[in-house]
Amino acid sequence: MCITAESLGSVELEDFMRQKLPDLLRERGEFRYEIMGILADVFASKDDLKQVLEEIRKLREDSNRRFGEMDQRFEEVNRTMNQRFEEVNRMMNQRFEEVNRRFEEMDTRFEVMYRSQREVRLEVSALGGRIGYGLEEIIRQTVEEFSGQSFKKFEHLRLRDSEGELYGIPADVEYDLYLEDSVNYVVEVKSHIKPGDVLIFHRKSLFAEKQLLKRIKPIMISASITKDAKKKCKELGIDLISRSVVD
C-alpha cells in the first residue's frame, strides 16, 4: 500500500513525520543538511541572538547617554533661568524698596507740613480769638494725637453760670472745645499763656465737671507760655501743648 502526504490528514501527517524524520536525518546526510538550512533560515542562531542582544544593549546605552545629556542640558537651562529670575527678583525688590523709601520720605514731609500748617492755624485762631468749625477739627486732631484717643463727639461748649460762681455775676462760660470719650477734655486755645490764664481755666474746668457731672481733663494749647504758667499747669494737673516757653 502506497501512502502519500495527500492521503494523510494533518494529525496523521505529524505523527508520520515524528516517526520517520529522525531516521531520515540519521540515514540521509543530504536530507539532514537540507533540513538544517531550512531551520537556519527560520530560527536565529546563538551568534545571531548574541549580536541582536549586543545591539539592543548598545542602543539602550546610547539612549541612556542621550537622556543623560538631555537631563544635564535641562538642568543647565533650569539653573540659568533660576539665576536670571533671582537677579530680576533682586532688582525688583531693590526698586520697590527704593519706591517705598521715597513714599515714606514724602509721607514724613507731608506730615511735617501738615503739623506746621495746623500749628499756624491754631496760632492765628488764638491771636484772633476766633474758633470756627474748621479749627475745631484741627484742635480735635491735635488733642487726639496728644492723648492717643479718638473722639467722635466734639463741640464748642457753652455753659450757663446762673449763680455767678466764676465771675461774680451770672454769665455764659465758653470753652473753645469739649471732647467726649473714655476721658473727657475741655480745651483752651490762646496765643500766649500767663499764670492768671491758667488759674481761670482751672476754675472753668472744675465748673464744667460740676455742670456736666463728668470727670473732665483740662488741656491748654498755645504758641507760647511763661515758665511760671507752665509750672502752674503742672501743679494743677492741666495738660499743655505749647511751642515755646518764655520768661
Side-chain angles (χ1 to χ4, degrees), residues 32-94:
R32 182 170 63 250
Y33 291 124
E34 184 178 352
I35 293 298
M36 290 176 63
I38 294 172
L39 293 175
D41 291 338
V42 176
F43 300 103
S45 65
K46 290 183 179 180
D47 292 337
D48 292 336
L49 289 175
K50 288 181 180 180
Q51 184 178 357
V52 171
L53 292 175
E54 181 65 19
E55 290 178 356
I56 292 174
R57 184 185 63 79
K58 290 181 179 180
L59 180 62
R60 184 172 62 248
E61 290 178 352
D62 184 62
S63 298
N64 291 337
R65 180 181 58 79
R66 292 184 179 182
F67 278 120
E69 292 176 353
M70 290 178 64
D71 288 341
Q72 290 179 355
R73 291 177 183 176
F74 279 124
E75 289 178 1
E76 181 64 25
V77 170
N78 188 49
R79 183 166 53 252
T80 302
M81 291 181 65
N82 287 338
Q83 290 175 350
R84 291 180 179 177
F85 279 127
E86 289 176 359
E87 180 65 18
V88 171
N89 188 50
R90 183 184 63 80
M91 293 175 62
M92 292 296 293
N93 286 337
Q94 288 180 347

Side-chain angles (χ1 to χ4, degrees), residues 11 17 31 33 36 60 63 67 88 101 120 139 173 235:
V11 176
M17 290 179 65
F31 179 71
Y33 291 124
M36 290 176 63
R60 184 172 62 248
S63 298
F67 278 120
V88 171
R101 184 183 62 79
V120 169
I139 295 172
V173 182
E235 291 174 355

Side-chain angles (χ1 to χ4, degrees), residues 11-213:
V11 176
E12 293 173 339
L13 180 60
E14 289 179 5
D15 291 339
F16 179 77
M17 290 179 65
R18 287 192 184 96
Q19 294 174 7
K20 297 298 183 180
L21 185 59
D23 294 335
L24 290 173
L25 292 174
R26 284 192 296 270
E27 296 172 357
R28 300 180 61 179
E30 181 180 349
F31 179 71
R32 182 170 63 250
Y33 291 124
E34 184 178 352
I35 293 298
M36 290 176 63
I38 294 172
L39 293 175
D41 291 338
V42 176
F43 300 103
S45 65
K46 290 183 179 180
D47 292 337
D48 292 336
L49 289 175
K50 288 181 180 180
Q51 184 178 357
V52 171
L53 292 175
E54 181 65 19
E55 290 178 356
I56 292 174
R57 184 185 63 79
K58 290 181 179 180
L59 180 62
R60 184 172 62 248
E61 290 178 352
D62 184 62
S63 298
N64 291 337
R65 180 181 58 79
R66 292 184 179 182
F67 278 120
E69 292 176 353
M70 290 178 64
D71 288 341
Q72 290 179 355
R73 291 177 183 176
F74 279 124
E75 289 178 1
E76 181 64 25
V77 170
N78 188 49
R79 183 166 53 252
T80 302
M81 291 181 65
N82 287 338
Q83 290 175 350
R84 291 180 179 177
F85 279 127
E86 289 176 359
E87 180 65 18
V88 171
N89 188 50
R90 183 184 63 80
M91 293 175 62
M92 292 296 293
N93 286 337
Q94 288 180 347
R95 292 180 181 179
F96 280 127
E97 289 175 0
E98 179 67 18
V99 170
N100 289 337
R101 184 183 62 79
R102 291 181 180 179
F103 275 120
E104 289 175 358
E105 290 177 354
M106 290 178 62
D107 288 341
T108 301
R109 291 175 184 174
F110 280 125
E111 180 65 22
V112 171
M113 290 173 60
Y114 176 74
R115 288 182 180 178
S116 298
Q117 184 183 39
R118 187 173 63 193
E119 290 175 358
V120 169
R121 292 188 66 183
L122 281 172
E123 291 176 12
V124 171
S125 171
L127 287 170
R130 299 185 301 273
I131 300 294
Y133 175 76
L135 291 173
E136 288 176 356
E137 176 65 22
I138 292 176
I139 295 172
R140 179 188 68 81
Q141 294 174 4
T142 302
V143 176
E144 284 184 344
E145 184 177 320
F146 175 81
S147 65
Q149 294 180 243
S150 295
F151 300 97
K152 294 183 179 179
K153 180 179 179 181
F154 61 98
E155 60 184 353
H156 180 78
L157 182 63
R158 177 180 296 173
L159 300 175
R160 182 64 181 173
D161 180 10
S162 301
E163 303 297 328
E165 183 177 337
L166 286 178
Y167 306 118
I169 59 173
D172 290 333
V173 182
E174 295 192 25
Y175 303 84
D176 290 333
L177 200 65
Y178 168 70
L179 304 99
E180 187 172 289
D181 194 59
S182 57
V183 177
N184 307 304
Y185 284 88
V186 287
V187 184
E188 180 89 358
V189 179
K190 298 183 73 67
S191 60
H192 179 68
I193 299 176
K194 296 176 291 186
D197 300 321
V198 177
L199 294 174
I200 293 174
F201 184 57
H202 175 62
R203 293 182 62 194
K204 287 174 64 176
S205 65
L206 294 177
F207 181 76
E209 281 190 340
K210 180 179 178 181
Q211 294 295 314
L212 299 176
L213 301 178

